[in-house]
Amino acid sequence: MDRRNFVKLVGTASGGAVTGACGRQAEEIIPLLVPEESVPVGVEQWHPSVCSECSAACGTLARVMASEREIEVGGELVRQKIAAVKKIEGNPLDPVSGGRLCARGHASLQSLYNPDRLRSPLKRVGPRASGQFEAISWDDAIAEAAGALVAADPGRILFLARAREGVRSENIARFLDAIGAPPATSIGVGDFAAEREASESVFGRSGLPLYEIQDSTLVLSIGADLLGGWVSPVLYSRRYGHMRQGRRELRGRLIHAESRFSLTAWNADRWLPVWPGGELALALAIGHELLGEQGADAPASVVSIFADVDLEQAAAEAGVPVEAIRQTASELAQASAPVVVAGASMVRQNSADAVAAAAALNWLLGCVGKPGGVIPPAEPLGVLGRRRRFSGDWSERLEQAAVVLVDGVNPAYNAPASQRALADAETVISFSPFLDDTSAFADLILPDHDPLEQSLLEVPPVSPTPSFVAAGEFVAPLYDSRPIATVLSELAEAAEQPFEELTVGQAVSTLYSALGSAGSETSASDFEARTLRVGGWRGQPSGKPPATPGTLGPFEMAPKQEGIVLQAYESPQFGSGSGANRPWLQELPDPTSSALWGLPVEVDPETAARLGLVNGDNVRIRSEHGSLEAPVYVNPAAIPGVVSMAVGQGHASYGRYASGRGANPMVIVGDGRDETTGCPTMGPTPISIEKIAGGARLVQFSRQDRDLPPHRV
Amino acid sequence: MAKEATQQAEGGTERTPQWAMAIDLDRCTGCEACVLACASENNVPTAGEDQAAMGRTKHWIRIDRYYEGEFPDIKVKYRPVMCQQCDEAPCEPVCPVNATYQNAEGLNVQIYNRCIGTRYCANNCPYTVRFFNWFAPEWAEPLNLQLNPDVSIRPAGVMEKCTFCAHKIKRAKLDADAEGRELADGDVQPACVQSCPAEAMVFGDMTDPDSKVARQLGSGRSGQLLESLGTKPRVFYLEKAD
């Protein structure tokens, strides 16, 4: 669906959906939720939706057509006509996706139609994590869950939720307020806690800054795999494309500093391999050199953090040659529109400091609020203010919790140390649509609808214009699941606590009032109708929010660790591991190793040669936190001594495509934290490697890492 | 160029579009969004681990990636590769039943119900972009609900490959007809082109000088894969500008 056609269809449809197909002239009024009997065979409808795979909140379009499924009625199999989603594409009117979509977004369809979705509420009947459950009715499930909540000390109720901002998180917040429990927290996955913390100190504003790389002439990214899986991969890929070839006679350049040869490093003109944890030292060293290059025309608090840096020491701790640092600083100083993208795709113990130091380089370069520079975060929108924040002590609170509620996160997988607390908690209630690593610990699973089956409203963490994305319901739920807001409402009612659910419609109306002049609509109901028809609201760019650096530093560089270390990372296909139950993603070649249906341990050629390892050999990796076994991929681009492994496999429980497949590197990484935010780190962790016989096989799409010599005719 | 670049239509001359694709490798990030967009659009089944280990996955489009140099001066060279829709396609003359041929618009088409599964075409394709169905495809219920009714499911024993989303081309023509206008540049967007986040892929009529694809071909960076083989692909790669 392209912009021209979507705009045309939106203009002709008067209901909540737009129809296309052979007769694109169709002007039938289609209610938001399409009754099965009114889906014409062969005619497509496009419904705005919101991608829920990562935290970027891309606006999407779902292609809906008539389909059939077999269901059992009274012991007989009958064919039921249903409206089915056939494809997900980007919404061309959405400022984040711009009509484009990443691989994970496409595969969200396989969450909706995953054969391992839970069909009804479940109650645990065997030991925790044994996977033994029985189906129960919603009435019984609500009564039991409410009973546990009423019996518990509200202070010992812990709600672990996704790092999203929207109606869903607002309802969770309202529910917790109603029952007197503390606010929900994420588990630090996909939350970008270090980046948010750094934004407060560097720009004096909460939220995530927006990097205007599409207009830059030189981009230096430090620690941010912006094309792989960082804050908003589709938005930044679009901007990257424009930076390279979207301007006449002007091609922007990219220098990327990271401890892994990520997708962003693939695309960089120059990759600066940084020792894991050395990102802070690198940023300080570059800042120090920039001060020498162009003086100190920057706020004093910024200048002070770079003034006394020992270049030689910083270079040694970053693992980057002094000459490369000088060259990078010199190129930045000379560039007409430079910008430094500061991120922590792999969280370290000093990530908040590292991101702050890297982001502060933009003050030295004078590009804060400038074209091609960085735009500090804008004010939050209306009622959906940023209420829910990451709480660094979530795992300590988990240990003390009487009732644990889990929505959209998987602590048993992403933070394996939490399994003990999950096993010991008095009551664990999960809203997961799948029997995953964490819901396996639950006493009750109250399965949520799939995101494509419910109305949604989300505020993207970064967007070129102030915006939110919204979707109405358009396909009936496949199973006996319920949206979380309904369940929370029922729980509050059963617990006799006042709770007022915020619907998407109400949120849109409230935002209409808060936004003042929201467009051409003259009433909240017109605004709501249009919002749901086009998939959200997009305002005018808010200009340049004022920014002032707060107190920065002093930053202490961490000494470089000796010996072999392991770092875990989120891959473009699996993210934090939630993508592993989609067969499309399992069969999508891993960009680094070309692995399918499994993820290898990536070892550098030097270490591999010393240990006698070749592709497909199996190794046992040990750290003080645990051990794992996995096949080896000898990565020609790995830093000597730095072993990497993508997160994604190694689920104890996650359906037929993911369960028992491969290993989870978080077992090795342990429970280290970013010292400022408390966000769980992804290494580096000292390890030992030992070659073992047998083990899992390495299945690769392409076994060939090097091109053949030029063909001769 | 296709055998018939133009055709006489009733009442006048109607140009037959000559479809081509340009992929700007300076924009492409290698993210593989195109790979899944294609699988979703074209009902490309997954093979499973065991078949994948035997090299039997079907990826109508893939990202070829090769490392060059040694750490730390290492680079990776990558490009999306799909059926190159060659004008001089090596797969065509070896098919004993004419199941694959070039149509008037330059598409290298594959007629599934004509194919008898000799696999000669795959043997003869230098780009290894043809895939044989060793088994009937399976989707565990209810994954079958995701299937696109516009694209046929290929049974066991036949060859399949990228079609340049021929069904979308047909659909765009029907839409243009219904609106009483000619097909415009950009009306046809194969799934990979539509999805590409970096907007690296452009599709259109290469004989229309005003089309985006024609302009890309004239950019000075354009080349073809294994050009020396003389296959004359319809997929053009714009090399990195560095």
Side-chain angles (χ1 to χ4, degrees):
Chain A
M1 177 60 64
D2 61 23
R3 186 183 177 88
R4 185 173 49 187
N5 276 321
F6 187 57
V7 169
K8 197 160 62 185
L9 291 173
V10 165
T12 56
S14 42
V18 287
T19 60
C22 332
R24 276 229 172 120
Q25 314 303 325
E27 289 182 33
E28 186 184 358
I29 297 173
I30 296 165
L32 283 177
L33 182 60
V34 186
E36 274 79 18
E37 64 274 12
S38 74
V39 188
V41 173
V43 176
E44 66 183 18
Q45 300 171 358
W46 291 91
H47 293 262
S49 187
V50 180
C51 185
S52 297
E53 294 299 296
C54 78
S55 57
C58 283
T60 58
L61 293 178
R63 184 182 188 227
V64 176
M65 294 182 84
S67 201
E68 279 188 341
R69 69 164 176 167
E70 284 191 341
I71 54 168
E72 202 178 298
V73 178
E76 278 187 47
L77 278 181
V78 296
R79 297 179 79 81
Q80 182 194 26
K81 188 180 171 191
I82 64 165
V85 183
K86 296 298 179 183
K87 196 176 179 218
I88 312 291
E89 292 186 359
N91 182 343
L93 302 183
D94 176 52
V96 175
S97 74
R100 310 290 170 157
L101 196 61
C102 72
R104 290 177 67 195
H106 285 291
S108 63
L109 197 48
Q110 295 199 325
S111 167
L112 172 65
Y113 295 131
N114 196 292
D116 298 314
R117 270 184 70 185
L118 299 178
R119 265 65 167 169
S120 71
L122 295 180
K123 180 182 178 178
R124 181 169 61 83
V125 292
R128 283 222 163 115
S130 67
Q132 295 171 42
F133 290 85
E134 67 177 15
I136 57 169
S137 70
W138 272 105
D139 287 348
D140 291 347
I142 296 289
E144 275 206 36
L149 288 168
V150 169
D153 166 8
R156 290 179 61 212
I157 294 173
L158 176 64
F159 203 123
L160 299 175
R162 289 185 73 174
R164 302 288 293 246
E165 187 185 334
V167 162
R168 186 188 194 88
S169 53
E170 178 63 21
N171 276 320
I172 292 172
R174 288 183 179 196
F175 172 76
L176 294 172
D177 283 349
I179 62 170
T185 173
S186 77
I187 60 169
V189 173
D191 209 353
F192 307 104
E195 287 86 340
R196 289 176 191 277
E197 181 74 26
S199 179
E200 301 248 6
S201 56
V202 176
F203 303 116
R205 303 188 65 86
S206 65
L208 294 172
L210 176 70
Y211 293 96
E212 300 275 271
I213 63 167
Q214 76 282 7
D215 294 325
S216 307
T217 55
L218 176 63
V219 178
L220 167 65
S221 56
I222 300 181
D225 180 14
L226 68 160
L227 302 177
W230 191 55
V231 171
S232 198
V234 173
L235 175 67
Y236 283 121
S237 295
R238 289 172 57 214
R239 295 185 151 207
Y240 167 82
H242 188 85
M243 177 197 86
R244 289 300 207 187
Q245 288 295 334
R247 298 169 289 180
R248 193 178 290 274
E249 307 287 320
L250 181 56
R251 175 182 186 268
R253 295 180 63 245
L254 170 65
I255 301 173
H256 182 63
E258 201 184 357
S259 56
R260 193 176 75 78
F261 197 59
S262 62
L263 217 53
T264 311
W266 277 29
N267 285 279
D269 297 282
R270 194 161 71 243
W271 171 45
L272 299 176
V274 189
W275 190 259
E279 297 85 358
L280 171 63
L282 177 70
L284 291 175
I286 290 174
H288 183 74
E289 284 301 290
L290 273 176
L291 283 182
E293 287 271 350
Q294 56 187 39
D297 185 19
S301 62
V302 172
V303 172
S304 67
I305 59 172
F306 299 111
D308 300 324
V309 175
D310 180 330
L311 180 63
E312 301 282 338
Q313 184 200 351
E317 291 182 4
V320 178
V322 168
E323 198 40 52
I325 292 171
R326 287 199 169 123
Q327 187 188 346
T328 304
S330 165
E331 287 176 31
L332 280 170
Q334 287 164 22
S336 56
V339 69
V340 178
V341 181
S345 286
M346 288 174 279
V347 177
R348 314 286 183 213
Q349 279 186 335
N350 59 359
S351 271
D353 289 353
V355 177
L361 293 173
N362 291 301
W363 285 112
L364 295 187
L365 294 169
C367 66
V368 178
K370 298 279 172 57
V374 55
I375 308 288
E379 288 297 321
L381 291 173
V383 290
L384 299 171
R386 300 180 178 117
R387 284 175 57 155
R388 189 177 48 73
R389 295 298 300 270
F390 169 67
S391 166
D393 63 350
W394 70 269
S395 59
E396 288 77 15
R397 286 168 58 197
L398 179 60
E399 285 176 12
Q400 306 298 321
V403 179
V404 184
L405 299 116
V406 188
D407 170 41
V409 292
N410 194 351
Y413 178 77
N414 293 107
S418 67
Q419 289 179 12
R420 191 174 42 78
L422 285 168
D424 292 343
E426 286 166 30
T427 307
V428 179
I429 299 167
S430 168
F431 298 94
S432 174
F434 296 101
L435 185 57
D436 60 28
D437 310 71
T438 300
S439 58
F441 281 88
D443 301 280
L444 288 164
I445 308 179
L446 313 176
D448 186 21
H449 284 350
D450 188 85
L452 289 164
E453 293 172 335
Q454 54 186 305
S455 50
L456 300 165
L457 188 148
E458 298 266 354
V459 181
V462 291
S463 172
T465 67
S467 69
F468 61 82
V469 277
E473 294 169 33
F474 48 87
V475 289
L478 277 187
Y479 305 119
D480 186 17
S481 53
R482 285 186 187 176
I484 189 169
T486 306
V487 176
L488 294 178
S489 186
E490 289 167 347
L491 284 175
E493 191 182 338
E496 296 181 352
Q497 299 296 330
F499 169 75
E500 194 185 339
E501 178 192 338
L502 176 71
T503 64
V504 166
Q506 287 165 352
V508 173
S509 297
T510 316
L511 283 163
Y512 176 75
S513 311
L515 294 167
S517 173
S520 55
E521 291 78 13
T522 51
S523 71
S525 59
D526 283 355
F527 180 66
E528 182 188 338
R530 177 168 170 78
T531 295
L532 293 179
R533 201 159 66 235
V534 301
W537 167 81
R538 298 94 207 178
Q540 294 302 313
S542 53
K544 302 176 187 85
T548 319
T551 311
L552 290 169
F555 299 133
E556 280 184 32
M557 292 183 283
K560 184 179 164 185
Q561 278 174 298
E562 296 302 319
I564 299 177
V565 295
L566 178 136
Q567 61 180 356
Y569 68 93
E570 293 191 8
S571 64
Q573 68 272 36
F574 295 122
S576 61
S578 59
N581 69 343
R582 279 73 148 160
W584 275 340
L585 293 176
Q586 285 283 1
E587 206 157 295
L588 188 67
D590 173 51
T592 300
S593 61
S594 204
L596 308 168
W597 296 96
L599 287 167
V601 168
E602 299 164 22
V603 182
D604 68 273
E606 224 177 278
T607 306
R610 200 173 65 245
L611 298 171
L613 296 171
V614 296
N615 283 356
D617 282 348
N618 270 253
V619 288
R620 181 177 297 120
I621 291 188
R622 290 178 201 274
S623 74
E624 59 174 312
H625 308 288
S627 71
L628 65 77
E629 292 172 13
V632 163
Y633 170 68
V634 181
N635 181 356
I639 299 174
V642 179
V643 170
S644 300
M645 189 171 182
V647 176
Q649 310 288 12
H651 289 275
S653 171
Y654 198 25
R656 72 193 68 184
Y657 302 109
S659 294
R661 178 180 299 285
N664 176 9
M666 298 311 289
V667 170
I668 298 290
V669 167
D671 51 2
R673 305 292 179 82
D674 173 12
E675 285 163 2
T676 309
T677 63
C679 197
T681 62
M682 302 186 83
T685 305
I687 55 162
S688 63
I689 309 180
E690 165 196 4
K691 184 174 174 178
I692 57 171
R697 62 182 162 182
L698 173 64
V699 178
Q700 286 175 288
F701 177 68
S702 168
R703 296 191 190 97
Q704 201 178 319
D705 281 337
R706 304 280 177 172
D707 200 359
L708 297 170
H711 186 82
R712 287 188 186 175
V713 179
Chain B
M1 190 64 61
K3 285 80 182 171
E4 300 170 56
T6 57
Q7 69 179 26
Q8 287 295 111
E10 202 174 333
T13 303
E14 187 180 291
R15 201 177 66 224
T16 302
Q18 295 301 306
W19 301 114
M21 186 182 288
I23 303 175
D24 190 339
L25 299 178
D26 210 18
R27 280 180 179 259
C28 174
T29 67
C31 72
E32 299 187 299
C34 51
V35 180
L36 277 202
C38 172
S40 182
E41 180 73 37
N42 291 297
N43 302 330
V44 180
T46 47
E49 182 183 348
D50 290 342
Q51 293 296 313
M54 288 187 260
R56 291 178 179 173
T57 56
K58 298 184 186 73
H59 288 94
W60 284 15
I61 179 170
R62 64 173 188 260
I63 306 293
D64 272 356
R65 68 102 179 82
Y66 299 112
Y67 292 97
E68 289 182 336
E70 303 296 338
F71 179 88
D73 299 317
I74 191 158
K75 286 269 182 191
V76 69
K77 188 174 75 180
Y78 56 89
R79 72 179 70 219
V81 179
M82 73 290 279
C83 171
Q84 303 287 296
Q85 311 284 348
C86 309
D87 277 352
E88 300 294 340
C91 57
E92 289 170 5
V94 293
C95 179
V97 293
N98 215 20
T100 186
Y101 66 95
Q102 189 182 35
N103 76 4
E105 297 178 358
L107 300 181
N108 173 259
V109 294
Q110 178 75 21
I111 311 296
Y112 302 129
N113 54 6
R114 213 183 266 175
C115 175
I116 56 170
T118 63
R119 313 197 302 278
Y120 295 165
C121 55
N123 284 342
N124 230 29
C125 172
Y127 305 104
T128 59
V129 289
R130 290 178 153 268
F131 306 94
F132 186 64
N133 283 278
W134 293 93
F135 305 100
E138 288 177 5
W139 286 270
E141 294 256 3
L143 277 176
N144 54 314
L145 291 177
Q146 78 194 7
L147 295 175
N148 180 1
D150 297 346
V151 177
S152 42
I153 308 292
R154 285 74 61 187
V158 306
M159 192 61 72
E160 64 178 62
K161 65 162 194 81
C162 162
T163 66
F164 262 1
C165 281
H167 62 287
K168 293 187 101 180
I169 296 176
K170 196 166 192 173
R171 167 65 185 279
K173 287 179 182 170
L174 288 171
D175 284 349
D177 277 352
E179 291 168 18
R181 61 175 178 84
E182 289 199 359
L183 213 53
D185 188 39
D187 275 353
V188 183
Q189 291 209 328
C192 51
V193 175
Q194 196 285 327
S195 174
C196 179
E199 300 173 26
M201 305 168 100
V202 173
F203 184 81
D205 178 2
M206 62 194 274
T207 57
D208 171 4
D210 296 328
S211 69
K212 275 187 189 166
V213 73
R215 289 203 299 269
Q216 294 276 47
L217 300 193
S219 74
R221 289 189 288 132
S222 172
Q224 291 154 306
L225 193 56
L226 301 180
E227 206 168 339
S228 58
L229 298 182
T231 52
K232 298 183 183 168
R234 285 289 181 99
V235 177
F236 296 83
Y237 293 94
L238 274 60
E239 295 299 329
K240 271 193 176 294
D242 58 351

